[in-house]
Amino acid sequence: MPDLTLETAYAKQLRVPLEAVCGIDEAGRGPWAGPVSAAAVILNPKHLPKGIDDSKRLTHAQREALFDVIQDQALASSLAMISAQEIDSTNILKATLKAMAMAAQGLNQVPSLALVDGNRTPDLICPAFCVVGGDHLSLSIAAASILAKVARDRLMAEADDLYPGYGFAQHKGYGTKAHQDALARLGPSPIHRLSYKPVAKVLQSFQD
């Protein structure tokens, strides 16, 4: 289970308050449709929500319940998304780092340092440290992973109503068999990532 061990160690190393450590994570790098989402969270070490874990280890119901609890109890939290169109115009890595930076900038408290899930850090106004597998280790990153995933999942559920037939509410844009079949039948929707090879291949077949 993630805890505050990393937050405490880095805060001590940089001589900053534990209450100023931010965790950052993203959701939605792999899907063929929809935005990439990122969240930044500064937890209150004296009032930690119970049950926080890597979002992938939690059930849908657990994530939904924790979404509001984290936002209510955190010292600061922020969400940001980058659209499929912008992903296509740059690339998924640049879009993800931009979403992370925007989430950090959206905090109503300036962090003194950030722990970022993965092996790349966005451009921030504070020192940032990569933590590979951070959502398994850092409580702040795990909290951010929950916010990022729930926010994106909710948006994809709304997209299911806007673009019926693709099954976005079920697969959230990932390349499942059902999604592949719907894409082949209907062609790309306005929220598909046209730069992704499976989508580009289908688009070409519709244009031929």
Side-chain angles (χ1 to χ4, degrees):
M1 291 285 289
D3 56 27
L4 291 180
T5 299
L6 284 176
E7 286 88 338
T8 302
Y10 279 110
K12 184 177 181 180
Q13 178 182 327
L14 270 66
R15 298 181 180 180
V16 300
L18 187 57
E19 293 83 357
V21 180
C22 166
I24 302 175
D25 201 1
E26 54 75 27
R29 287 186 66 169
W32 299 352
V36 63
S37 170
V41 178
I42 301 175
L43 292 173
N44 183 349
K46 298 177 182 177
H47 191 41
L48 295 172
K50 295 181 180 179
I52 293 178
D53 201 349
D54 173 4
S55 63
K56 295 182 288 295
R57 292 176 174 174
L58 301 172
T59 66
H60 171 79
Q62 288 172 325
R63 289 193 298 268
E64 284 286 339
L66 280 166
F67 184 85
D68 293 330
V69 173
I70 290 168
Q71 290 189 315
D72 288 343
Q73 296 184 10
L75 294 174
S77 66
S78 175
L79 284 156
M81 294 193 186
I82 299 295
S83 70
Q85 288 77 15
E86 187 166 348
I87 292 169
D88 288 337
S89 67
T90 56
N91 59 57
I92 187 58
L93 176 59
K94 289 181 180 178
T96 300
L97 293 175
K98 180 177 179 179
M100 287 179 164
M102 289 171 59
Q105 291 163 6
L107 292 167
N108 59 16
Q109 172 183 330
V110 179
S112 296
L113 70 91
L115 301 183
V116 183
D117 186 54
N119 58 9
R120 294 284 295 271
T121 61
D123 291 329
L124 302 175
I125 61 172
C126 66
F129 299 89
C130 296
V131 184
V132 176
D135 39 13
H136 298 292
L137 303 170
S138 159
L139 203 65
S140 302
I141 292 177
S145 79
I146 293 168
L147 296 192
K149 179 165 178 54
V150 171
R152 187 181 186 281
D153 284 356
R154 289 178 178 179
L155 187 145
M156 294 306 291
E158 294 173 5
D160 199 47
D161 293 330
L162 292 172
Y163 310 108
Y166 292 96
F168 288 136
Q170 285 72 45
H171 54 66
K172 308 301 189 296
Y174 284 89
T176 65
K177 179 63 164 58
H179 189 183
Q180 293 175 44
D181 292 344
L183 184 61
R185 185 176 70 253
L186 301 171
S189 74
I191 64 165
H192 271 96
R193 301 175 184 178
L194 303 182
S195 58
Y196 278 40
K197 288 183 179 179
V199 182
K201 185 176 180 180
V202 171
L203 178 62
Q204 185 62 48
S205 71
F206 272 75
Q207 293 174 337
D208 289 343

